[in-house]
Amino acid sequence: MTERDERRLASSKPAPWNDPKTRAVVFQALTVVVVGYVFYVIFQNTLYNMERRGISTGFGFLHNQAGFGVLMSLIPYNETDTYGRTFFVGLLNTLLVSGLGIVFATVVGFLVGVARLSSNWLIAKVAMVYIETLRNIPLLLQIFFWYYVVLQALPSARQSMSLGKSLFLNIRGLYLPAPVLNDGAGYIIFTAVVAVIAAVIIAIWANRHQEKTGNRIKVLWLNLSLVVVAPTLVYFIMGRPVSLDYPTLQGFNFQGGMRMIPELMALLWALSFYTAAFIAEIVRSGILAVGHGQTEAARSLGLRSGQTLRLIIIPQALRVIVPPLTSQYLNLAKNSSLATAIGYPDLVSVFMGTTLNQTGQAVEIVGMTMAVYLTISLSISGFMNWYNKRVALVER
Amino acid sequence: MPAFQPLPDMPPPIASRGAIGWVRENLLSSPLNVALTLAALYLIFSFVPPIVNWAIINANFAGNTQAACTAGGACWVFVKSRITLFIYGFYPADQYWRINSIFLLMALTFAPQFFNAFPYKKIFGIFALIGIPVVGYVLISGGMFGLQHIETEKWGGLMLTLVLAYAGIIAALPIGIVLALGRRSEMPVIRSLCIGFIELWRGVPLITVLFMASVMLPMFLPEGVNFNKLLRALIGIILFESAYIAEVVRGGLQAIPKGQSEAASALGLNYWKSMGLIILPQALKLVIPGIVNTFIALFKDTTLVLIIGLFDVLGAVQSAITDPSWRSVSTEGYLFAAFCFWIFCFSMSRYSQALERKLYTGHKR
């Protein structure tokens, strides 16, 4: 054995260019340099281009007067308010349509998903046609369809469709009675909040009691009556401080009440029905994932079919349903940005549309808008991950 | 003593076989089921006959102008007279053969994939990945080989939708796979860069990405360098969809047992060889449904380019129905566009299901 061979055997360390650790460090350093350089070039180019076009930088524009009106706002707003306020107007409108959409889409989606599994052949086929039609057609097209075809076919204000003299549907939108809070209404809201908190505490206590002793205390009716009766009592004690403002036809238009503008209705319906088709498939897969043996075992223990569903099937199906359902909620919130196509004043339409056109501050505005959606997405997925962890199967 | 002769079995009672049995079993098995059947029938009868009346029986097919629509039903004359706009956009009419030949080429490339016996499927597949984009670009854009150059402003309609979807799919898939590998890399810098990239694009709506591509991208570039609008939109779509593909592929990679890569290392394969020959083929096969889902979503999402002023099939329909020489034809226009998208998306989903069944090789012992 030569001296060189001995030395090679003695140190098992490979040559530096063959050592995975060294290579990893070199690769990463190279990546950092390349990415950093690309960002540097982009930054320099942006600064140069903005200067050349005479665009100012920074967020000072948020304090300037906006000078344009917005179709619908949940907070008081008029043309003299600032761009900063238009941002919040748009943001609240986005949150409103996403929140309502998530509720409707979940309800419709669960119904259609269960219908798809119905033993009734006709019902199952109707649900299948619904799913296969709606999920294979672009959402934007569906929004246009609701807005330009269905809502345009609604009657004028004088011939509006009505339900019990309090709900009116016409080409200008949906008119609903608006609650009016008089003096003392605060006590009702306070009582309601306290009642809900008390009900939650009682439910948790009952669950703990069951886990400790095995005896189930029936608290459902107690809690329901607490939540319903307590605020109702306060309502009468305070002398009925909440009244409803009904919309009434005066001349050519309705006065009073709340109006849901057609843009919001079209967007909400399209978003809900479209997402519901996806949720239906998720629900179906979740229910199918629970083996039939579970139902049989529950029955052999003597559980009734309602109990089987509530205590055995649904908790296990939820484990499969929750993660993809989260993605659908996220998609719905993000898809609400399509509002800009029909002019519903959401964040993209108000802020990234009108405000961007007026100020030209593309970098700040696009950045802020993206940051908002990123925050919404990360908080929904954070919440759903937390919930998922609670319902997930705990294994060794 | 005569041997016992069994009589032939009686058939099941008439009420539990054939059409009657099927109806009793599937539609009328319980009072609730009867109620559901009636509700479904009511739903069907209140929707289907009016739609059939409107779309076929009372519809107009002949003629060229609004005046021909007199029967009170659908005015398909509108779609017929605008069909070239819907399919080719503003592409010059004497150059339609270029688009038609690329449509034909795509059909000829994809049709054999549906037949198991066809021998050269691999070559055709590679051609679909590399050949069609190159040939398609040369044919549609022109400017070479004596073909007249057609600016992208004139591209539109269904053809533009297909260009966006095809180019988006072809480019997003490899980028997505690399991102997925990066996300599972053991090098912290590369891993966090990939995670940041994926989470950023997955957390924002495509519209904001398209806005960014159309208003911010020009600012990022040095003076004099300028991409046209179509290319900018395409970059936005590719960035967005590659993040989704990456997450789908990551799911597949996670499902491959560690033993597979350990075995590859034991055989002396390096990282790229073990990925390319052992891990990725198995992982990609597992996630075919997810990948096709992403493709379907991408195909539908191409409609969003109309918001930044590109003229896809929905944009073409949208502009045609505002033409004052046609009145109240929006339903017909939207139905046509919906039908175009539905055909493509539905066949993609069915093809993926067939592929899934065909590739179901593992898990058998």
Side-chain angles (χ1 to χ4, degrees):
Chain A
M1 208 181 266
T2 63
E3 198 183 318
R4 226 177 81 206
D5 281 344
E6 266 171 19
R7 223 188 304 146
R8 206 188 63 197
L9 281 177
S11 76
S12 61
K13 249 188 152 181
W17 55 88
N18 264 342
D19 183 4
K21 273 186 192 156
T22 328
R23 258 195 320 207
V25 171
V26 172
F27 279 146
Q28 298 189 64
L30 270 177
T31 315
V32 169
V33 169
V34 170
V35 171
Y37 180 71
V38 168
F39 273 105
Y40 174 75
V41 167
I42 286 178
F43 184 68
Q44 289 297 325
N45 282 336
T46 312
L47 278 188
Y48 175 76
N49 283 326
M50 285 170 93
E51 199 178 327
R52 197 166 51 94
R53 295 182 200 181
I55 303 170
S56 59
T57 50
F59 292 93
F61 72 98
L62 289 175
H63 301 293
N64 296 347
Q65 188 175 324
F68 61 88
V70 175
L71 196 55
M72 176 191 136
S73 65
L74 296 176
I75 49 175
Y77 171 82
N78 63 47
E79 277 119 57
T80 56
D81 282 320
T82 59
Y83 287 123
R85 199 159 175 91
T86 63
F87 172 79
F88 284 108
V89 169
L91 177 60
L92 285 176
N93 284 342
T94 290
L95 292 178
L96 173 76
V97 76
S98 313
L100 289 176
I102 284 177
V103 173
F104 287 145
T106 311
V107 172
V108 178
F110 268 78
L111 286 177
V112 177
V114 172
R116 178 84 180 80
L117 283 174
S118 166
S119 62
N120 187 310
W121 184 84
L122 265 181
I123 291 278
K125 289 294 156 189
V126 168
M128 189 191 81
V129 169
Y130 171 90
I131 293 169
E132 291 295 358
T133 312
L134 265 76
R135 69 174 184 166
N136 284 322
I137 294 173
L139 176 60
L140 187 59
L141 181 56
Q142 298 188 29
I143 294 176
F144 282 159
F145 184 80
W146 285 108
Y147 188 60
Y148 290 111
V149 177
V150 178
L151 291 183
Q152 293 299 313
L154 288 176
S156 67
R158 279 178 166 277
Q159 276 102 37
S160 45
M161 300 186 239
S162 71
L163 190 76
K165 296 278 177 209
S166 54
L167 230 92
F168 297 93
L169 183 64
N170 60 47
I171 199 159
R172 287 158 183 266
L174 178 69
Y175 289 82
L176 307 157
V180 179
L181 303 181
N182 301 321
D183 285 344
Y187 292 102
I188 301 178
I189 298 170
F190 178 75
T191 321
V193 171
V194 170
V196 167
I197 293 173
V200 169
I201 291 172
I202 293 174
I204 292 174
W205 170 79
N207 276 342
R208 289 225 178 113
H209 184 79
Q210 186 189 9
E211 274 169 22
K212 237 186 266 166
T213 63
N215 294 323
R216 179 144 191 90
I217 305 167
K218 294 198 170 165
V219 294
L220 184 69
W221 287 110
L222 173 71
N223 276 343
L224 276 182
S225 50
L226 186 66
V227 170
V228 174
V229 171
T232 318
L233 268 179
V234 177
Y235 171 73
F236 284 107
I237 292 169
M238 295 306 294
R240 300 205 265 177
V242 178
S243 58
L244 285 176
D245 178 22
Y246 289 97
T248 48
L249 187 63
Q250 284 176 0
F252 290 100
N253 209 349
F254 280 92
Q255 301 293 324
M258 274 193 299
R259 181 168 79 116
M260 202 180 202
I261 56 173
E263 287 78 13
L264 174 60
M265 281 200 291
L267 185 65
L268 190 57
W269 287 348
L271 273 177
S272 314
F273 288 136
Y274 178 77
T275 315
F278 291 88
I279 293 181
E281 285 294 272
I282 292 168
V283 169
R284 180 172 77 102
S285 74
I287 293 175
L288 285 179
V290 181
H292 191 60
Q294 296 285 329
T295 314
E296 292 168 345
R299 289 303 179 82
S300 73
L301 285 174
L303 295 187
R304 275 176 273 112
S305 64
Q307 286 175 320
T308 312
L309 198 66
R310 192 159 46 84
L311 299 172
I312 309 288
I313 308 293
I314 288 178
Q316 297 189 70
L318 273 185
R319 289 180 182 144
V320 184
I321 290 173
V322 166
L325 192 63
T326 311
S327 328
Q328 290 308 324
Y329 288 171
L330 288 176
N331 282 344
L332 191 146
K334 287 191 289 171
N335 282 335
S336 71
S337 60
L338 295 184
T340 177
I342 54 168
Y344 172 74
D346 80 323
L347 183 64
V348 170
S349 161
V350 170
F351 197 60
M352 207 151 105
T354 320
T355 305
L356 175 57
N357 278 340
Q358 289 195 0
T359 61
Q361 294 198 300
V363 178
E364 291 86 355
I365 288 179
V366 174
M368 275 172 80
T369 313
M370 282 185 153
V372 165
Y373 280 103
L374 209 54
T375 316
I376 295 177
S377 297
L378 293 180
S379 18
I380 293 185
S381 63
F383 172 76
M384 293 304 270
N385 280 339
W386 168 81
Y387 180 69
N388 185 38
K389 240 178 229 150
R390 289 197 39 161
V391 296
L393 193 62
V394 181
E395 288 185 273
R396 274 170 298 149
Chain B
M1 201 166 106
F4 172 66
Q5 287 286 326
L7 291 169
D9 287 345
M10 291 286 279
I14 187 88
S16 61
R17 68 190 149 105
I20 299 172
W22 184 89
V23 168
R24 283 175 68 118
E25 170 71 26
N26 289 299
L27 300 179
L28 308 169
S29 62
S30 68
L32 175 70
N33 226 341
V34 174
L36 284 175
T37 303
L38 289 177
L41 283 178
Y42 173 75
L43 207 65
I44 291 169
F45 280 110
S46 54
F47 275 101
V48 175
I51 291 177
V52 170
N53 267 335
W54 177 83
I56 297 168
I57 297 171
N58 289 333
N60 287 91
F61 297 93
N64 286 312
T65 57
Q66 173 89 46
C69 291
T70 49
C75 185
W76 297 118
V77 181
F78 165 70
V79 173
K80 202 178 81 182
S81 77
R82 292 296 149 120
I83 190 86
T84 56
L85 178 76
F86 294 165
I87 293 180
Y88 304 103
F90 294 119
Y91 214 76
D94 56 335
Q95 305 290 326
Y96 283 170
W97 63 270
R98 285 156 61 171
I99 312 271
N100 290 337
S101 38
I102 195 79
F103 282 162
L104 184 70
L105 190 65
M106 280 169 79
L108 287 179
T109 315
F110 287 117
Q113 303 289 335
F114 293 94
F115 300 103
N116 281 331
F118 191 78
Y120 305 112
K121 281 211 288 204
K122 209 170 212 172
I123 299 173
F124 274 63
I126 293 169
F127 181 74
L129 285 179
I130 301 164
I132 286 188
V134 173
V135 177
Y137 178 75
V138 170
L139 264 179
I140 298 176
S141 173
M144 304 170 236
F145 306 112
L147 290 171
Q148 183 194 339
H149 176 63
I150 313 284
E151 307 88 57
T152 51
E153 281 77 34
K154 298 213 166 127
W155 303 15
L158 185 62
M159 164 263 213
L160 183 70
T161 300
L162 288 175
V163 165
L164 284 167
Y166 204 87
I169 288 171
I170 298 275
L173 187 60
I175 299 177
I177 292 175
V178 170
L179 282 172
L181 291 177
R183 182 161 193 169
R184 285 171 56 80
S185 160
E186 277 162 15
M187 301 182 232
V189 173
I190 291 182
R191 191 175 57 230
S192 28
L193 276 177
C194 288
I195 292 179
F197 183 93
I198 293 170
E199 293 300 336
L200 172 67
W201 297 124
R202 266 163 34 96
V204 297
L206 180 55
I207 280 204
T208 60
V209 178
L210 288 174
F211 263 101
M212 196 197 87
S214 81
V215 298
M216 268 166 85
L217 203 61
M219 295 218 180
F220 292 161
L221 299 172
E223 199 177 5
V225 180
N226 207 0
F227 295 157
N228 71 48
K229 212 187 212 173
L230 177 63
L231 188 58
R232 292 205 300 258
L234 202 52
I235 291 175
I237 290 178
I238 291 169
L239 289 177
F240 184 78
E241 299 294 341
S242 61
Y244 279 84
I245 298 268
E247 284 298 275
V248 173
V249 174
R250 173 181 164 224
L253 289 173
Q254 280 177 350
I256 306 297
K258 196 151 191 290
Q260 295 284 328
S261 57
E262 286 168 352
S265 308
L267 285 173
L269 299 185
N270 66 21
Y271 176 80
W272 293 108
K273 271 192 181 154
S274 83
M275 278 298 162
L277 298 171
I278 313 281
I279 310 293
L280 273 178
Q282 299 185 64
L284 291 179
K285 191 187 79 185
L286 280 181
V287 293
I288 284 174
I291 291 179
V292 176
N293 267 348
T294 316
F295 287 171
I296 293 175
L298 187 151
F299 193 81
K300 288 185 292 177
D301 281 347
T302 55
T303 50
L304 266 59
V305 297
L306 82 85
I307 289 171
I308 59 165
L310 289 171
F311 203 65
D312 78 320
V313 63
L314 184 56
V317 168
Q318 183 79 344
S319 74
I321 58 184
T322 52
D323 183 344
S325 57
W326 292 92
R327 286 182 313 277
S328 59
V329 285
S330 45
T331 318
E332 290 86 341
Y334 289 134
L335 279 183
F336 172 78
F339 183 70
C340 288
F341 282 102
W342 191 85
I343 287 286
F344 279 101
C345 296
F346 188 71
S347 33
M348 268 199 271
S349 80
R350 286 297 133 126
Y351 178 66
S352 104
Q353 286 170 17
L355 203 59
E356 216 180 310
R357 278 192 293 275
K358 201 179 88 185
L359 293 178
Y360 185 79
T361 50
H363 339 306
K364 283 184 219 156
R365 292 200 186 261

